Amino acid sequence: LFADRDGTLIHDAHYLRDPALVELLPGAAPFLRAFAEAGWLLVVVTNQSGIAQKIVTEEDYQAVRARFEALLADQGVTLDLTKYCPHHPDVTGPCRCRKPGTLMYEEAAAALGIDLASSVYVGDRWRDVAPAIAMGGRGFLVRSPDTPDADRERAAREAEVAASLDEIVERVLR
C-alpha cells in the first residue's frame, strides 16, 4: 500500500514544520492497520517541496515524520517505509522522484520486494494516483478540502474515487 501523507493521512497544514501540529485524519490509523493486518506493506510517499524552497528544514521534516509515526504507533500501526521528495521544479529543476514521478515507488519496491502492479496507491491529488497507472496498480483518490475538482474528475475516468479511507478497505480487502 502506497499512501500520500498530507491531506490523506494527516491534516494538510501546508509546509508543516511544527510536530505539535501533526494531526491524524479520522480513519487514517484504522485504514493502515487493516492493510497491515491483511499482510500488506505500508509505504508513505510524500512530496516535500518546502525543503527545496527553504520553508521547511530537513530537521523540521524529520521531526514531523517522527511525530506522525509516533501517533500511528500509539494506535498500533508501524510503517514499513517512508519516502519523500525534497525537490521543487522551480528551485532544483525536474526530478524523477517528485510525484507523479515514479522513482520513490521504484526505490521502495527495490528495498522491500514490492510488486508495483499488485499495489494500491492512495492520495488526495491526481499526482498521488497517477503512479498507479504508470506501474499497473490500483489507484484511489480520496477527496480532501484541497483536492481540485479536475483531479477528482480525472481519477473518476482513469482510476478510482473513494468517499473515505474505510471505503478503500472495503473495496480492496473485503
Side-chain angles (χ1 to χ4, degrees):
L1 173 72
F2 291 100
D4 171 57
R5 188 187 80 177
D6 302 326
T8 304
L9 300 174
I10 65 172
H11 283 287
D12 191 347
H14 303 286
Y15 305 112
L16 183 57
R17 297 186 318 233
D18 183 352
L21 299 178
V22 176
E23 184 179 344
L24 292 176
L25 287 170
F31 165 73
L32 294 170
R33 190 171 40 256
F35 274 89
E37 289 172 354
W40 291 63
L41 295 171
L42 306 178
V43 180
V44 169
V45 182
T46 180
N47 286 345
Q48 294 297 318
S49 66
I51 296 171
Q53 297 174 77
K54 301 201 184 310
I55 299 168
V56 177
T57 67
E58 181 73 29
E59 293 76 21
D60 293 335
Y61 166 76
Q62 293 300 340
V64 166
R65 181 191 56 77
R67 175 69 178 151
F68 168 56
E69 291 179 5
L71 290 173
L72 289 174
D74 288 346
Q75 299 212 23
V77 176
T78 302
L79 300 176
D80 293 289
L81 186 64
T82 296
K83 299 292 292 180
Y84 71 101
C85 171
H87 306 118
H88 188 286
D90 295 340
V91 178
T92 55
C95 66
R96 288 191 51 234
C97 56
R98 182 173 172 79
K99 294 182 288 181
T102 59
L103 183 60
M104 291 189 287
Y105 301 90
E106 293 164 12
E107 290 174 348
L112 298 174
I114 296 170
D115 177 359
L116 293 168
S118 297
S119 295
V120 170
Y121 303 70
V122 177
D124 68 320
R125 301 287 185 106
W126 174 251
R127 66 179 169 242
D128 305 318
V129 177
I133 294 166
M135 301 296 177
R138 192 170 176 188
F140 287 91
L141 185 130
V142 179
R143 193 173 191 148
S144 78
D146 294 324
T147 304
D149 287 339
D151 284 17
R152 186 193 53 74
E153 292 163 6
R154 186 169 183 185
R157 287 191 313 271
E158 299 179 37
E160 298 181 56
V161 175
S164 67
L165 295 173
D166 188 54
E167 183 180 324
I168 297 170
V169 170
E170 291 300 318
R171 288 166 60 180
V172 174
L173 300 180
R174 307 284 189 255

